[in-house]
Amino acid sequence: MEVPRLDHALSSPTSPCEEVIKNLSLEAIQLCDRDGNKSQDSGIAEMEELPVPHNIKISNITCDSFKISWEMDSKSKDRITHYFIDLNKKENKNSNKFKHKDVPTKLVAKAVPLPMTVRGHWFLSPRTEYTVAVQTASKQVDGDYVVSEWSEIIEFCTADYSKVHLTQLLEKAEVIAGRMLKFSVFYRNQHKEYFDYIREHHGNAMQPSVKDNSGSHGSPISGKLEGIFFSCSTEFNTGKPPQDSPYGRYRFEIAAEKLFNPNTNLYFGDFYCMYTAYHYVILVIAPVGSPGDEFCKQRLPQLNSKDNKFLTCREEDGMLVFHHAQDVILEVIYTDPVDLSLGTVAEITGHQLMSLSTANAKKDPSCKTCNISVGR
């Protein structure tokens, strides 16, 4: 039984000795499980002696591709016509036991020189653990396959978004950013207990903490970058920060120039939504030469602080003037400690809108506005 092919989804080989998998396909039927059990209607013949792949190596891992190679005994090697690759997401022990399991992905490739590239955003997601095993196969004249035993199972984890992927997100965010509004302060809402703790245990200085896992699953800052979240959005009719907040009734306000100035660099971090009509853009402000700046320089697209679609700082008549995008909600991460004495803390008069919180919020993978053609 011939396996259907998806030739149109493949890339060209990068070099003669690094062939990309050709005729890669998702199996419509189960070919053979890792224990060697074959379906009666799978079109695979009785087991014959074919070399079993061993010493499997995974390399050049990105958020939606990897290279795979292995060693084989030379016996019957010339009879191999295809490789079967069994790729599965590694089971999460903390996952909901009632949730449907991910369908295993069976890939079929013509026997090409190794290593070869497996690429596909429809079955590979960024920052995700997978298991993989390989069989060699020989296609017979009647369409049946003779297969080897499965190789050992190995594990690997896909990578975060690269700067190339983040630039694609950046370009999509620019489309909907809207016009720029003037602002003068950054602010951070928390509960009263938070500010009391900062005063008592951290010498009055808010300390950077590791960013949570909200936003794009492939974002390189999630769970890695340390910083302090600030907002800068203003109400259209007043030009001042809104009086409502999902994060607490006490607000720290600081003059914009104390965090964002010619001695800081600005980076694009993420673009996402949470099954809602409005979208979020994460920006990072890092003092030049700081550890946060070095982290971002290697991983994130840098923005021109004076000229971009999201957040600007320009000098006019000897003073710094600041603008923010109107049509996206900006989440600004500042990577250094901030002393409370640099601003003011006061209680807001509005409501605490918990429904607007983005803490560990998951990105809508079906939104065409804020997703790119790689794993979400």
Side-chain angles (χ1 to χ4, degrees):
M1 182 175 181
E2 182 69 19
V3 178
R5 307 296 179 192
L6 297 179
D7 295 334
H8 64 279
L10 303 176
S11 305
S12 300
T14 56
S15 69
C17 61
E18 292 185 347
E19 289 286 333
V20 175
I21 288 186
K22 296 188 185 294
N23 301 322
L24 186 65
S25 72
L26 299 178
E27 287 258 45
I29 57 172
Q30 181 184 20
L31 290 177
C32 179
D33 64 27
R34 288 177 176 173
D35 296 323
N37 301 315
K38 297 181 288 294
S39 171
Q40 291 182 352
D41 60 352
S42 67
I44 296 182
E46 289 298 318
M47 186 77 72
E48 291 187 13
E49 196 73 25
L50 281 176
V52 179
H54 61 276
N55 196 23
I56 297 175
K57 296 188 182 300
I58 303 293
S59 61
N60 295 78
I61 300 172
T62 72
C63 65
D64 64 348
S65 68
F66 62 91
K67 287 185 178 180
I68 185 169
S69 63
W70 57 83
E71 297 176 6
M72 293 180 291
D73 295 333
S74 58
K75 181 181 178 181
S76 301
K77 190 174 180 180
D78 57 347
R79 292 175 49 231
I80 299 172
T81 61
H82 291 78
Y83 301 134
F84 295 160
I85 301 174
D86 188 16
L87 182 69
N88 297 277
K89 283 186 179 180
K90 187 177 177 182
E91 290 186 13
N92 183 357
K93 294 180 180 180
N94 297 321
S95 61
N96 187 338
K97 65 179 180 180
F98 297 107
K99 182 181 177 182
H100 291 296
K101 289 186 177 181
D102 291 299
V103 177
T105 300
K106 298 290 195 298
L107 308 175
V108 179
K110 286 185 177 179
V112 296
L114 302 176
M116 56 186 178
T117 299
V118 179
R119 186 187 311 277
H121 67 268
W122 63 93
F123 57 81
L124 284 173
S125 297
R127 200 185 282 197
T128 302
E129 293 183 327
Y130 289 91
T131 63
V132 64
V134 185
Q135 276 181 317
T136 57
S138 176
K139 188 174 182 180
Q140 309 299 291
V141 292
D142 60 1
D144 285 350
Y145 288 91
V146 173
V147 296
S148 72
E149 294 180 2
W150 283 106
S151 69
E152 75 274 20
I153 298 171
I154 67 165
E155 302 176 358
F156 70 99
C157 184
T158 47
D160 297 332
Y161 284 161
S162 67
K163 280 188 180 181
V164 172
H165 300 118
L166 287 172
T167 299
Q168 293 175 23
L169 272 182
L170 163 63
E171 291 170 351
K172 292 179 77 73
E174 288 177 333
V175 174
I176 69 162
R179 70 182 183 127
M180 303 291 279
L181 299 179
K182 195 173 183 179
F183 77 101
S184 60
V185 298
F186 289 103
Y187 56 93
R188 172 176 173 81
N189 276 71
Q190 283 287 348
H191 299 286
K192 181 177 182 297
E193 292 76 13
Y194 168 83
F195 293 110
D196 290 342
Y197 185 86
I198 293 300
R199 294 185 184 100
E200 294 174 15
H201 298 280
H202 290 292
N204 219 45
M206 294 185 291
Q207 300 297 315
S209 59
V210 177
K211 183 194 172 297
D212 65 12
N213 289 316
S214 60
S216 301
H217 188 59
S219 173
I221 62 177
S222 293
K224 296 181 180 179
L225 176 67
E226 293 187 358
I228 305 171
F229 264 105
F230 286 92
S231 299
C232 62
S233 298
T234 56
E235 293 181 323
F236 176 75
N237 56 338
T238 67
K240 297 181 179 180
Q243 280 300 308
D244 300 322
S245 171
Y247 301 109
R249 294 190 56 79
Y250 283 78
R251 174 174 294 169
F252 171 73
E253 285 191 7
I254 184 171
E257 61 265 23
K258 292 183 179 179
L259 299 186
F260 189 29
N261 52 61
N263 295 319
T264 59
N265 284 327
L266 180 67
Y267 298 90
F268 173 85
D270 201 4
F271 177 44
Y272 70 100
C273 71
M274 303 180 297
Y275 302 89
T276 56
Y278 43 88
H279 283 78
Y280 296 83
V281 169
I282 298 179
L283 302 175
V284 182
I285 297 176
V288 174
S290 66
D293 189 36
E294 293 304 313
F295 177 96
C296 294
K297 193 174 296 182
Q298 297 173 28
R299 298 167 177 83
L300 306 180
Q302 185 170 349
L303 301 176
N304 182 340
S305 297
K306 298 178 181 179
D307 184 19
N308 66 82
K309 300 288 188 180
F310 310 111
L311 189 71
T312 60
C313 169
R314 298 173 183 165
E315 185 172 339
E316 297 180 7
D317 298 326
M319 298 179 61
L320 294 179
V321 179
F322 303 88
H323 291 83
H324 71 82
Q326 175 186 3
D327 294 341
V328 291
I329 300 175
L330 295 182
E331 296 182 311
V332 180
I333 301 176
Y334 187 76
T335 62
D336 272 15
V338 176
D339 198 291
L340 294 179
S341 64
L342 296 175
T344 60
V345 177
E347 187 174 5
I348 60 174
T349 59
H351 301 285
Q352 186 172 341
L353 305 175
M354 295 303 295
S355 61
L356 296 180
S357 172
T358 61
N360 287 305
K362 300 304 179 185
K363 181 175 183 175
D364 178 2
S366 64
C367 179
K368 295 181 179 179
T369 300
C370 61
N371 281 296
I372 55 178
S373 295
V374 293
R376 309 307 184 219

